[in-house]
Amino acid sequence: MPAVDKLLLEEALQDSPQTRSLLSVFEEDAGTLTDYTNQLLQAMQRVYGAQNEMCLATQQLSKQLLAYEKQNFALGKGDEEVISTLHYFSKVVDELNVLHTELAKQLADTMVLPIIQFREKDLTEVSTLKDLFGLASNLFLEHDLSMAKYSRLPKKKENEKVKIDVVKEVAAARRKQHLSSLQYYCALNALQYRKRVAMMEPMIGFAHGQINFFKKGAEMFSQSMDSFLSSVADMVQSIQVELEAEAEKMRVSQQELLSVEESVYAPDFDVAAPQINRNLIQKAGYLNLRNKTGLVTTTWERLYFFTQGGNLMCQPRGAVAGGLIQDLDNCSVMAVDCEDRRYCFQITTPNGKSGIILQAESRKENEEWICAINNISRQIYLTDNPEAVAIKLNQTALQAVTPITSFGKKPESSCPSQNLRNAETEDDKIVSQAAVRADDADELIAPGTPIQFDIVLPATEFLDQNRGSRRINPFGETEDETFPEAEDSLLQQMFVVRFLGSMAVKTDNTTEVIYEAMRQVLAARAIHNIFRTTESHLMVTSQTLRLIDPQTQVTRANFELTSITQFAAHQENKRLVGFVVRTPESTGGQSLSTYVFESNSEGEKICYAINLGKEIIAVQKDPEALAQLMLSIPLTNDGKYVLLNDQPDDNDGSPNENRGAESEA
């Protein structure tokens, strides 16, 4: 017999919208079966009670048997044998239409009684459990209220006694809900087997009664009919065996599911040392969604979320299917503090706009959601073996150094370097696909070098270094006067970037030092779950490279192009870009630092702009060379600013494809 669709007992505790939707299909099937069983019983009772109307009764029975195929059972899988059997019985009933007589006792025992027992025992049991399950809806309301209390537990001022009481309340509500769901699911699963037995068993008794009490029946019920009835009896017996085996499996499974520790019902039972899977490429579960209801008021709604491909979907209770909430491709995700709630994280769109804020119910769920969304945003799911790619990325992260959050001392203000490297080749702008060996990595970056994850310089500190004793306008001021060269610059290009980290390096003779710094910064962020980034505007001019706060327009860092000795973009992750800065020290020596950024567009565009600025510096003293260079560069209509999104692909570090223009100064 083909396998019968069933409700998974393991899904009873989670009570997801998919399980609820499948449960409604089983309930609809049970209701249809109840209606059909009542009609079939009426037809059999008519055969039993109407001696003089036997012909009419058998005609009605024949029609009703044929009607089974037209019931459109939602769970009709495995009913092909039942349908074909009932079709054959319908023909037999038509042939016996003129031969039926009173068979009250035998028909009552072999035909009417089994279907009555099926209706009164099995269908009534399902109906009763359905009513009890409906009454248990108060438990779901109680569980939601308990989860609301738990979600409102403060993060900063945590009352352990209140937390324990709320956790016990949530666990108790979930256990009650779990028990009632398991009993109802088991009854509905068993009904799929009993249904088929109940449909065929009465007809076997009916056929045998006709054979025993009619002399002419021997002529009609030939040996082929006997073999047919024998095969039907064997089929019923096999279904009964399957039912008993399935009932035993469900009983064992139910005992195993109920024998777990009480801690599994607690929302955050493994907060001390959760087992976190960082290789997920899909995730599903309940989250609290933050909704704005006014200028300053918000509400939190508990909904079921799941990932599908590169999309984040949401499915409310009662909904047949989920709806799209957020496209996760190239999005960023980070943990945030929101309204003094625990385990909150925010998804940011590729253009830098703040997206949705969600709250998980435990630390494990929070970190797994962040890791899963981060993996999906890299489009790992599009590879041939996404699980292996995710595992490989996390294994690479485990080989990284252990970082600290800041340097021992703040980097000094950037000063122009007199050592301009004009002999940069095209290979210095393209990321090598080969991994740096361990010995080579030690030559590029000293082992144990600290990594700085915060912004390069605080805004106030940078202003103090550049303004001296100048009075600061508390209502905000622009930095146009601080950098007057920006007005006369031949090149001005703005990029939206996020600072990932910086670290000291030992050499700037090769771009391999940038690739190794990228590897160590990204690996350290993955190991230590540092997902928060600072968004800034990177202004590239023909003289400097400035990092500007997008909110206050205050310059956080300024690098002279002459002090930038190496720069490169990652070949696989097009949005990663880094550069090496040579900074003079007070001792007379020079220090080298690599800065790593993530851009909203291709990193090659930033490299193209930096290279163009350095070329302008190199030919500024030669008017003819400068004019020749400007003739080869596309300009705006006013003939002043370079249009990077319109430049052709060439060997000067231009991007391979124009996937969206950057904003222009």
Side-chain angles (χ1 to χ4, degrees), residues 498-503 513-514 516-519 521-522 525 576-579 594-598:
R498 284 172 290 280
F499 178 71
L500 299 181
S502 62
M503 60 191 307
V513 68
I514 299 178
E516 178 63 16
M518 288 179 178
R519 186 190 71 82
V521 168
L522 293 178
R525 279 182 169 270
L576 287 182
V577 65
F579 54 83
T594 299
Y595 296 83
V596 181
F597 293 87
E598 181 185 29

Side-chain angles (χ1 to χ4, degrees), residues 427-482:
D427 293 337
D428 293 332
K429 303 165 194 170
I430 302 177
V431 178
S432 174
Q433 296 182 356
V436 180
R437 298 191 304 270
D439 295 340
D440 296 337
D442 293 343
E443 296 177 0
L444 300 175
I445 301 176
T449 301
I451 300 176
Q452 179 171 322
F453 294 115
D454 51 3
I455 200 64
V456 181
L457 280 178
T460 55
E461 180 177 332
F462 183 81
L463 288 177
D464 292 340
Q465 293 181 7
N466 288 276
R467 292 179 178 173
S469 59
R470 180 181 176 185
R471 182 180 64 85
I472 298 176
N473 183 357
F475 299 100
E477 59 184 2
T478 63
E479 292 300 302
D480 294 339
E481 297 180 5
T482 306

